[in-house]
Amino acid sequence: ERSRDTAVHKARLAQLVRDFPPLAEAIERVVAAVNAGGGGRAGFDALDALVEAQAYRLAFWRVAADEINYRRFFDINDLAALRMERDEVFEATHRLVLELAAAGSIDGLRVDHPDGLLDPAAYFARLQSRYAQLAGGRAEGDGPHRPLYVVVEKILAAHEHLPTDWPVHGTTGYRYAAVVNGLFVDARSAAHLDRAWRAFVRGEAETFEELAYRCRRLVMASSLAGELTVLANALLRLARADRRTRDFTANSLRLALAVGVAGFPVYRTYVVERPSAQDRRFIDWAVGRARRRGRASDPTVLAFVHDVLLGRPPAGADAALLPRYREFTRRLQQFTAPVAAKGIEDTALYRHHRLTALNEVGGDPEQFGITVNAFHGASRDRAAHWPHTLLATSTHDNKRSEDVRARLDVISELPAAWRLAVRRFARINRARRRTVEGSPAPSRNDEYLLYQTLVGTFPAGGIDEAGLAAYRERIVQYLLKAAREAKRSTSWINPNPAYEKALAGFVEQLLARVDGNLFLDELRAALPPFAWWGAFNSLSMTLLKLASPGVPDIYQGEELIELSLVDPDNRRPVDFEARRALLARFAAGTGERQAEWRALLADPCDGRAKLWCMARALDVRRRLPQVFADGEYLPLAVEGPRAGHV
């Protein structure tokens, strides 16, 4: 009521102040009295008394990591999560967008972060049902349960399936991006590149599985500690509800939760009343990992956590305990997802630099390439179960654009050349390193990341001083963000100005000028094979996406070769007029397709061949819609001495 009537009361107060000048004067006197103490104790005491009388608590922003009483969007304190399971919240937040859909003004919805919902399946069912009510006769769509086209931003592991009871048309394509990129990674070079990375970073390298575990623990101990405390307290209340679990301590329960969540093999499970077979497998997996870590957690406490998550109260327990177990599991599921996102996407992927082309949202750096047969298997499965899912190769969330990854994939095919190039780079730049707090700045790992970043993004067609200045600033900003996300030498919460200054200075010296720059000359000499074959990788990736089962999604700017990095770098303005002009030239061509194609391939790095390929493939999809919407997927067998390259 107070919230609802706030505007009314403010308006009435404003009118009173206008009508009665003495009231305005009285208010001014109170403000003056509070301010009279200035910066001294009296002034702060008066202000403190005023703040204490409010319905909220004014606190230092860091407090929210440990004490918070609302769900946030990850660790952003001023973005509170909404409870979509409540009818009035759903109606208030969805009315406009569903009315637009029902009117035909929009064709579908992309739902961000569904793992933050209490019950995604129920949410999507309500979304479809409400749309059908509003659309009436227009609600034809894909069957009675999916009249509205809906795709979800869901991060799927290689061993995970999208729940089939969700009335959606698929995901936004992160898993597809990882699968198609894996085709261009030579799996035979994994050990070579692993040795090259470890030799360069000198002890900073570790397996990605261990890194992901430690980074999840890190975010639970820092930015998401408040949520862990809330869950640990709820688990303690469940333990005290039965005499057989009453003696489990708060500390042991909190530790068991942290170890279990850190070892989760997926972002979350979807238990509502009882776990599905897939949910049960992942819960068993997480608790099994926690047990293998041995001494960190009491096995009887882990067994209790396991029973809670599976909804198995002790035999003969109070009947009221089962719904409380289920409520706890639903709340925990909303916690494991942000822990995975912050721990893996925003920390571990910025520390593991063996081959950064694999460090993507929805990817797994340990999965070093995939076979053609595996690609066909994934395509057949998609055609059978999710024929209208999105196919992405670049998104707003990418750490690197598809074209940068296509270049970096070439490193896996030239591991010896790469190792020699990195040695030369490091030798040229050794005098430019600094020492901060007894450690090298940049760190060896950050320096290794920088060299991959430069090979992946440096313009293949040359660069002038003005272009180099803009490029240099982009790389400085990217490296600073990457170092802060890695949370080793600096971070967003605790910046290290000395390290950041040394890191920025290192990049600026490397890219100081075009002419007379020994490092830049060395970089330009090493670049051609990576840029050339990277452009062909990009062409192949584009054609595969446009000819595969699903709905191809083209991120802004990726119609040409676009060598962009993580946001905000991938949010720069796009020259759409240049792309329109190229399409117009293609349309007005001579008709000699072979000659046109040869001319385009003379310089594949400029991106014209990519746009030409894209335009032709989309034209085929438009002319044969049923083939691409509902056609059978038939892998072609390839024979001969070059079969392994097809």
Side-chain angles (χ1 to χ4, degrees), residues 372-485:
V372 173
N373 284 338
F375 178 82
H376 285 318
S379 299
R380 278 197 299 264
D381 181 76
R382 193 183 325 111
H385 299 105
W386 301 102
H388 308 302
T389 190
L390 282 190
L391 307 177
T393 42
S394 286
T395 74
H396 68 289
D397 269 340
N398 270 150
K399 309 299 183 190
R400 294 156 193 83
S401 72
E402 61 199 57
D403 299 311
V404 175
R405 278 180 277 123
R407 266 198 198 182
L408 293 174
D409 288 340
V410 180
I411 290 174
S412 72
E413 298 187 89
L414 300 170
W418 168 249
R419 187 168 187 170
L420 289 173
V422 169
R423 283 178 179 172
R424 289 195 300 271
F425 295 163
R427 190 164 53 249
I428 292 170
N429 297 321
R430 61 183 180 274
R432 292 167 172 156
R433 297 188 199 101
R434 296 290 176 264
T435 299
V436 174
E437 298 171 356
S439 298
S443 70
R444 300 289 291 183
N445 208 25
D446 285 347
E447 187 176 353
Y448 200 77
L449 169 64
L450 171 61
Y451 296 145
Q452 287 190 66
T453 302
L454 295 176
V455 166
T457 61
F458 195 81
I463 196 167
D464 58 18
E465 291 291 352
L468 183 62
Y471 177 75
R472 181 170 60 239
E473 180 58 24
R474 287 175 55 208
I475 300 302
V476 166
Q477 293 306 314
Y478 169 73
L479 261 291
L480 286 174
K481 175 169 182 170
R484 287 177 175 176
E485 296 285 19

Side-chain angles (χ1 to χ4, degrees), residues 194 197-198 201-207 351 445 488:
D194 198 61
W197 174 45
R198 291 177 186 279
V201 302
R202 299 174 187 168
E204 291 185 46
E206 56 189 310
T207 66
R351 294 184 177 188
N445 208 25
R488 273 181 167 158

Side-chain angles (χ1 to χ4, degrees), residues 310-323:
L310 292 178
R312 297 189 310 210
D318 190 326
L321 202 51
L322 178 57

Side-chain angles (χ1 to χ4, degrees), residues 142-158:
D142 186 16
H145 302 299
R146 299 192 300 181
L148 176 64
Y149 183 73
V150 176
V151 289
V152 297
E153 189 201 33
K154 169 63 188 154
I155 311 299
L156 289 166

